[in-house]
Amino acid sequence: MLKPFELASEAKPSLRQIKWQETEFYALISYGLPVFTGKQYGDGFTPPAVFWPEEMDTDSWCETVKNAGMNGVVYNCKDYDGFCLWQTQMTDYSLKKSNWLDGTGDMVKLISQSCKKYGLKFGISIAPWDRHEQLFGSGEAYDEWFCGLLTELLTNYGDIFYVRLDGVSGPSHGKTQNYDWGRYYSVIRRLMPDAVIAFRGPDVRWYGNDRGVTRPEEWSSVPAWHGVYDDGTSVPSPKGRSSSVMELDIGSRKAIKHEKDFIWYPCEVFVPMRKHLYFDEEDKYSSKTKDKLLSLYYNTVGNNSCLMLGIAPNKRGVLDEMDSQILNSLGYDLKVMFWHNLLQQAEVTASSELSALYAAENSVKNERHLFWRPAENDKCPEIIFKLPKKEIFDKLVLCENISNGQHIEAFSVFLKNEKGKWKEVYSGSAVGYKHICCLKAAEADEIKISFPEFRKFMELSYVALN
């Protein structure tokens, strides 16, 4: 009988989950009625005429997102207030009733076109909770109506990589609604099969907070009760446990020692750049600094997660100048830090190789189908990189071949000193899709990485020294 950690190593991602993970860093843009009312959560009664941007420029949004090093945009198409920011046929509470562009404006169309122009992936966020729609609380009739909204969004705006179903709910008009999540999922799978379903969905796991507080190590293979079934029902959790609570450890051997069922449920960390989700003048000096954003990047993208950063354009329809400057500066730093892999010219050797197909030199080629896998009897594999000359660096990036699951549990990084001896400079645990090791700046020409603990086997797809 397999042990729990061995069972966990058998969970594997779908192709859509892999493509989502490769997106790494993307924006959630919220621009709707709350920007104009000054209230973060609309009540569903604000007149559509309130929506009146003076200088709408979605191209500038996407240009800044691209410059910041992000790879996609998720647009908040309908929030709890029920106001639809596209030309929907399902309700009049939409841009059709706004005076902006004589009622012909379509924010979803504008942003999707700007994303295409700047080579960004496009995704949508939509809240099932609706504080305006009278059908809310009617059961099947409301589900039918909501599926109509999904159908419009998933058929009229090109490829969509991500659908965020906001899981927050509450009463409206004195009624509550038991959402048919499985039906929503089936519409998404049928119309946009390559899109992941996130937040309240089976593909991407919400982190548990919106503050950017992260775990020391992040696992994508987790006990099944943290997720939901494809029909939208919750997986039964152990007595006294709740998947809504952010536990500090959900994937180590100790944490899963009594578990039997596992799923691939990777982690997304969401945090707004400002204090609130929607633009508010009073939040001006709450914007996260470039250094804070870099720290978030290391602790999320660099810790087997994806980072979704909330960005809030102002009333005029443009990004605040200070926010733009911070994001542009962030992107410049990321580019300078990670643009060149010093190991590309290195001589690569390893303690063992399963076969020539899994050679150690595959680890510096950055091609998904190539990776290093040690021999089965190698209990503590090591890989060594010999540089042509001494180089100065402070970042080491490790990536597993997650197509075959997550396996690495511990690793150590060594540099060879002037006396020809190995000195340990970093130790870590889980790797997963990507682990960024922030090192003390060093100069060396030989680096060794050892892997004393892993689950069944290990596969290293990429190593970069920056």
Side-chain angles (χ1 to χ4, degrees), residues 265-283:
Y265 205 30
C267 174
E268 173 187 76
V269 176
F270 167 71
V271 60
M273 186 170 177
R274 289 167 167 252
K275 181 179 179 180
H276 293 111
L277 190 62
Y278 288 94
F279 183 86
D280 190 321
E281 287 288 352
E282 295 182 1
D283 290 347

Side-chain angles (χ1 to χ4, degrees), residues 217-284:
E217 62 175 1
E218 192 59 60
W219 287 87
S220 296
S221 177
V222 298
W225 59 270
H226 285 282
V228 294
Y229 291 117
D230 286 341
D231 64 1
T233 56
S234 297
V235 179
S237 62
K239 186 176 181 180
R241 307 287 291 278
S242 172
S243 59
S244 65
V245 176
M246 183 188 160
E247 299 185 34
L248 290 179
D249 182 3
I250 63 173
S252 72
R253 290 196 189 195
K254 181 179 179 180
I256 64 174
K257 62 182 179 181
H258 299 302
E259 305 290 346
K260 297 180 181 179
D261 298 316
F262 296 88
I263 56 173
W264 190 269
Y265 205 30
C267 174
E268 173 187 76
V269 176
F270 167 71
V271 60
M273 186 170 177
R274 289 167 167 252
K275 181 179 179 180
H276 293 111
L277 190 62
Y278 288 94
F279 183 86
D280 190 321
E281 287 288 352
E282 295 182 1
D283 290 347
K284 186 174 183 67

Side-chain angles (χ1 to χ4, degrees), residues 186-443:
S186 66
V187 170
I188 298 167
R189 292 285 193 246
R190 175 170 55 85
L191 298 175
M192 203 61 62
D194 293 334
V196 292
I197 308 174
F199 198 172
R200 184 53 166 82
D203 295 318
V204 175
R205 168 167 51 90
W206 177 54
Y207 199 77
N209 69 79
D210 291 344
R211 303 183 303 278
V213 179
T214 58
R215 297 181 180 90
E217 62 175 1
E218 192 59 60
W219 287 87
S220 296
S221 177
V222 298
W225 59 270
H226 285 282
V228 294
Y229 291 117
D230 286 341
D231 64 1
T233 56
S234 297
V235 179
S237 62
K239 186 176 181 180
R241 307 287 291 278
S242 172
S243 59
S244 65
V245 176
M246 183 188 160
E247 299 185 34
L248 290 179
D249 182 3
I250 63 173
S252 72
R253 290 196 189 195
K254 181 179 179 180
I256 64 174
K257 62 182 179 181
H258 299 302
E259 305 290 346
K260 297 180 181 179
D261 298 316
F262 296 88
I263 56 173
W264 190 269
Y265 205 30
C267 174
E268 173 187 76
V269 176
F270 167 71
V271 60
M273 186 170 177
R274 289 167 167 252
K275 181 179 179 180
H276 293 111
L277 190 62
Y278 288 94
F279 183 86
D280 190 321
E281 287 288 352
E282 295 182 1
D283 290 347
K284 186 174 183 67
Y285 298 105
S286 72
S287 288
K288 291 175 175 58
T289 64
K290 180 195 69 175
D291 288 345
K292 176 61 177 177
L293 292 177
L294 277 173
S295 178
L296 278 168
Y297 184 88
Y298 298 146
N299 291 329
T300 54
V301 176
N303 187 25
N304 192 39
S305 304
C306 282
L307 173 60
M308 180 164 67
L309 182 66
I311 295 177
N314 61 27
K315 285 184 180 181
R316 302 197 325 272
V318 296
L319 294 177
D320 182 80
E321 184 177 351
M322 183 173 71
D323 292 1
S324 294
Q325 289 177 354
I326 292 171
L327 290 170
N328 284 319
S329 180
L330 169 69
Y332 177 82
D333 277 14
L334 289 174
K335 185 176 182 179
V336 169
M337 278 187 231
F338 297 108
W339 76 276
H340 178 59
N341 181 6
L342 295 171
L343 299 181
Q344 287 180 342
Q345 304 302 320
E347 176 188 345
V348 188
T349 58
S351 56
S352 70
E353 299 170 345
L354 184 63
S355 71
L357 185 63
Y358 307 107
E361 63 183 18
N362 289 342
S363 64
V364 296
K365 294 181 178 179
N366 199 20
E367 297 181 31
R368 187 197 298 168
H369 66 287
L370 297 176
F371 49 88
W372 166 56
R373 179 168 172 172
E376 293 182 359
N377 62 353
D378 193 342
K379 302 304 180 184
C380 185
E382 295 181 343
I383 188 167
I384 297 174
F385 303 90
K386 174 66 176 175
L387 298 167
K389 61 184 179 65
K390 286 189 176 183
E391 299 280 4
I392 298 174
F393 50 84
D394 64 358
K395 301 287 187 304
L396 179 70
V397 180
L398 302 179
C399 303
E400 282 191 70
N401 174 38
I402 61 169
S403 296
N404 284 333
Q406 186 175 0
H407 299 266
I408 297 172
E409 295 180 300
F411 67 92
S412 294
V413 180
F414 301 84
L415 302 181
K416 185 166 283 188
N417 62 23
E418 297 291 342
K419 297 180 179 180
K421 294 184 178 181
W422 292 110
K423 179 182 178 182
E424 183 175 349
V425 295
Y426 188 95
S427 63
S429 49
V431 173
Y433 168 75
K434 178 177 284 188
H435 186 102
I436 299 176
C437 310
C438 294
L439 312 173
K440 184 178 180 180
E443 183 177 17

Side-chain angles (χ1 to χ4, degrees), residues 446-459:
E446 203 161 353
I447 300 95
K448 179 175 73 172
I449 312 170
S450 66
F451 300 89
E453 294 181 36
F454 50 91
R455 298 175 178 181
K456 297 179 70 175
F457 61 87
M458 59 154 286
E459 295 175 341

Side-chain angles (χ1 to χ4, degrees), residues 27-164:
L28 173 67
I29 296 182
S30 296
Y31 188 77
L33 292 179
V35 177
F36 300 92
T37 64
K39 298 178 181 178
Q40 290 295 314
Y41 299 100
D43 58 12
F45 296 101
T46 302
V50 168
F51 189 90
W52 186 261
E54 300 173 6
E55 310 173 41
M56 176 59 62
D57 188 0
T58 57
D59 276 2
S60 70
W61 302 359
C62 290
E63 182 180 21
T64 300
V65 166
K66 186 75 172 182
N67 289 343
M70 294 187 240
N71 298 305
V73 168
V74 177
Y75 182 56
N76 198 349
C77 302
K78 182 184 83 72
D79 214 328
Y80 312 135
D81 59 8
F83 189 69
C84 295
L85 291 147
W86 72 97
Q87 290 291 310
T88 179
Q89 301 303 311
M90 303 301 297
T91 176
D92 286 336
Y93 197 54
S94 69
L95 288 178
K96 291 191 301 183
K97 294 297 183 179
S98 166
N99 295 327
W100 178 57
L101 298 179
D102 296 324
T104 65
D106 190 325
M107 287 298 305
V108 180
K109 182 178 181 180
L110 286 175
I111 297 177
S112 63
Q113 290 176 338
S114 294
C115 283
K116 186 174 182 180
K117 179 177 179 179
Y118 286 93
L120 296 165
K121 296 181 181 181
F122 178 61
I124 61 170
S125 177
I126 183 169
W129 185 24
D130 197 303
R131 304 180 74 180
H132 175 84
E133 177 56 44
Q134 294 297 315
L135 284 174
F136 188 88
S138 62
E140 187 175 344
Y142 178 79
D143 290 325
E144 177 75 17
W145 179 83
F146 186 76
C147 286
L149 298 180
L150 285 174
T151 299
E152 290 179 340
L153 290 169
L154 297 173
T155 55
N156 295 329
Y157 300 100
D159 290 336
I160 289 175
F161 86 102
Y162 174 106
V163 178
R164 185 178 191 259

